[in-house]
Amino acid sequence: MTNSEPLLDVRDLSVTFTRKGGPTVRAVDGVSFTVRPGETVGLVGESGSGKSVTSLAVMGLLPRRGVQVGGQVLFDGDDLLTLPRDRMRDIRGRDIAMVFQDPMSSLNPVVPIGVQVTEVLERHQELKGEAARSAAAELLSRVGIPDPNRRLKEYPHQLSGGMRQRALIAMALACRPRLLIADEPTTALDVTIQAQIIELLKELVQDTGASLVMITHDLGIVAGLCDNVHVMYSGRVVESAGRRELFAQPRHPYTGGLLGSVPRLDAPRGAPLHPIPGSPTDVLRWDHGCAFAPRCQNRVDACLDGPPPLEAYAGRSLRCLNPLTESEEVSV
Amino acid sequence: MSDQTAAPAAEERAPAEGLLSVRGLEVHFPIRSGILVERQVGSVKAVDGVDLDIPRGATVGLVGESGCGKSTLGRAILRLVEPTAGTVTFDGTDLRALGGEELRRMRRQLQMVFQDPMASLDPRQNVQSVLSEPLRAHGIGGDHRARVRELLDVVGLPASAANRYPHEFSGGQRQRIGIARAIALEPQLIVADEPVSALDVSIQAQVVNLLEELQDRLGLTYLVIAHDLAVVRHIADVVAVMYLGGLVEQAPSDDLYATPLHPYTKALMSAVPIPDPEVEDTRQRILLQGDLPSPADPPAGCRFHTRCPFRQQTRCADERPVLRTVAGHPDAHRVACHWVEDIEAGRIRPAAGAVVEPDPDPEPDAEHAPNPAA
């Protein structure tokens, strides 16, 4: 399973937003990663790191005006960025599906759930009427929504948050996609509901053999779910590794800093937290040096001489000139 | 309500006297219906009979999921919402008996830090004005400029911040301003409602550390309300777990983590992701069925019985359990469950399907696993 050709191959993706009279903003800057069939890949970062824009670019959901997308997004060999729009529409929803953070704003509030789920089936699988309806009911029950026939007639506001997210996952799975992109799918939910949803995603990925790209700020979710993890900061990948390597020994000071700054439920009480100083808005532009340098405790002079390259280091890819060593694994 | 139940504080601290004591607190919001004549057709029992003690100088954490009533409880203690029943005694004074001006003066001692600093700061007020407003409101004289500079310094902001407006700051800095405003009057108790949940991960720790530092420096007492069990465990001496308007378990932080007794606490604990693959791969999870029931129509008996994987045929559905001590555990550890002893001894097993065992055959990460065939 792991040696097959990648299903999704993102090469040197960049997204630039331009605004009349304003500066251009490069939200994603040369991001590359691959997703193999059946693999779960995590994109981790804080707000502004470019993780969501990356996923929108892959899905072709960015607006056309004022946005320049560069690089390649190869899905099964086709470059999604150059596909004609109607072919992209066929792929989206059928082969690649997406689950968003806030289920309330991604469901249409004035259309019953049933119509929204059957819409996907009608569009991509040409199911009609009763056949589509019963397929929709089956999908809802599969994602653990009790009494699906009643729920199909209800509107999004009548469902609880966890229920809505399940309905959204049901819609995403309607056509057995080969790739599911989940953008912070549990951030708006309570922890016990989050556990239900994560468990559901795990199960579904196992059953259908689909690949999953999990976008999140929560390292805990990544630790339990993803095979490979890409940590993003200010539009670039700063560290990529298998989850075991990454958590056992973070090498980028940002990754280490993130791990050192979240309180762990199982840590002995009184274990001090080591916050990363500054805020994610204190960034340097990559062409001037490492964007993380202003907040970095491992900074050396060379960090300000231009962007550090992403290089192979200790069994992973790393963008850092002065990586953490074994002794300082969790932030200095 | 008699006052024989002063709950012991976290043992490692000096036996502190209680600063705040809450007994039988209820907040019921009426549900009204009707066009010309509004009749009350029911009530949302947001807080329904809570007893809580906060020792002086301690940090009590209150955790629960959205809709459990934790924020309402925090506000009811400060009388920002009016409790419908129960008593709140602060430093020997019954807060519910205070009226108008007396209550206003008492509020000097009780301050609040809100979740979203952008929403709780007036965007048209500069920081100087935000921070000196409490001083003006309580008629405190002296050099307000100097006091504001001092406050900014205490929360780690430069003195130049005084002339700037909330939108010029990052989320973490705004939360520092919110904290500076709360400590401006040198209160004894601060109720912090989700103080870090709106902040970026790397910033949360800064604010948590600041709260701890201020406690040491100013001798503050905290009630920290949060949904994040890991944050609460880190900061609190005593943790109270709330479910649907009532407390289900209360214990010193370490005891609660080491031996959660209530089925809800167990489930909550097992649901918190831990950033460590080794732990994640080997832990057992208790999954809860369904969602929180409506607080307008809470289940009879134990509030949790509709989702409880340990539910029994008797008692659970018709008798509401109260917080009690359990043999073999410190007196400070109290649980509201009829069957704690049986669950702990393993005589009651969770329902099948509620427990997700770790993958018995953790799939090796192929490319990194040693490959004997090579």
Side-chain angles (χ1 to χ4, degrees), chain B residues 27-314:
Chain B
V27 183
H28 293 182
F29 296 108
I31 305 172
R32 295 207 168 86
S33 167
I35 300 164
L36 288 176
V37 186
E38 280 207 335
R39 282 179 311 122
Q40 185 176 338
V41 294
S43 58
V44 172
K45 300 182 176 79
V47 178
D48 202 15
V50 167
D51 295 353
L52 187 69
D53 289 281
I54 305 182
R56 193 183 292 276
T59 301
V60 172
L62 187 61
V63 274
E65 296 180 281
S66 47
C68 74
K70 56 189 191 301
S71 292
T72 308
L73 175 59
R75 282 160 192 256
I77 287 172
L78 303 187
R79 280 187 68 194
L80 295 174
V81 295
E82 207 55 53
T84 38
T87 59
V88 179
T89 316
F90 175 77
D91 213 4
T93 316
D94 180 7
L95 291 183
R96 285 199 66 208
L98 297 182
E101 185 55 27
E102 281 175 316
L103 177 64
R104 209 178 69 83
R105 260 184 276 130
M106 186 52 102
R107 287 237 169 89
R108 264 185 80 166
Q109 306 297 332
L110 308 144
Q111 290 287 315
M112 187 146 184
V113 174
F114 297 91
Q115 169 172 3
D116 182 354
M118 196 60 201
S120 60
L121 295 172
D122 184 342
R124 293 188 184 80
Q125 234 183 342
N126 69 16
V127 172
Q128 171 70 35
S129 167
V130 169
L131 296 185
S132 57
E133 189 169 4
L135 304 174
R136 277 178 272 132
H138 286 273
I140 294 169
D143 185 352
H144 286 184
R145 289 209 161 267
R147 175 71 179 139
V148 167
R149 269 201 305 277
E150 193 185 317
L151 286 169
L152 288 172
D153 184 52
V154 168
V155 298
L157 289 173
S160 61
N163 300 318
R164 288 155 65 194
Y165 288 84
H167 74 267
E168 299 176 64
F169 296 93
S170 67
Q173 289 173 322
R174 272 183 222 134
Q175 196 58 293
R176 288 172 191 266
I177 297 170
I179 292 170
R181 177 174 62 182
I183 60 172
L185 293 168
E186 297 172 354
Q188 297 191 54
L189 176 74
I190 288 185
V191 175
D193 189 359
E194 300 276 11
V196 300
S197 54
L199 306 175
D200 259 315
V201 190
S202 67
I203 308 298
Q204 291 188 358
Q206 295 177 6
V207 172
V208 168
N209 283 357
L210 174 64
L211 286 172
E212 287 181 334
E213 195 188 304
L214 289 177
Q215 180 166 46
D216 290 346
R217 221 158 125 177
L218 307 172
L220 294 167
T221 304
Y222 288 136
L223 174 62
V224 177
I225 301 169
H227 69 280
D228 187 336
L229 204 50
V231 168
V232 168
R233 169 172 147 77
H234 179 85
I235 199 171
D237 306 308
V238 176
V239 178
V241 182
M242 194 164 178
Y243 185 80
L244 211 62
L247 298 186
V248 295
E249 185 161 5
Q250 191 182 333
S253 183
D254 288 328
D255 291 344
L256 189 80
Y257 175 72
T259 48
L261 294 175
H262 196 280
Y264 178 62
T265 318
K266 286 176 192 274
L268 198 61
M269 215 79 109
S270 81
V272 177
I274 292 176
D276 184 341
E278 308 296 326
V279 179
E280 282 290 317
D281 286 352
T282 50
R283 68 206 286 237
Q284 189 191 55
R285 262 182 221 289
I286 300 176
L287 285 188
L288 295 181
Q289 294 300 308
D291 300 304
L292 202 68
S294 162
D297 182 20
C302 174
R303 293 284 153 90
F304 185 56
H305 85 262
T306 53
R307 297 171 77 196
C308 182
F310 296 89
R311 179 181 56 243
Q312 295 300 299
Q313 298 298 329
T314 53

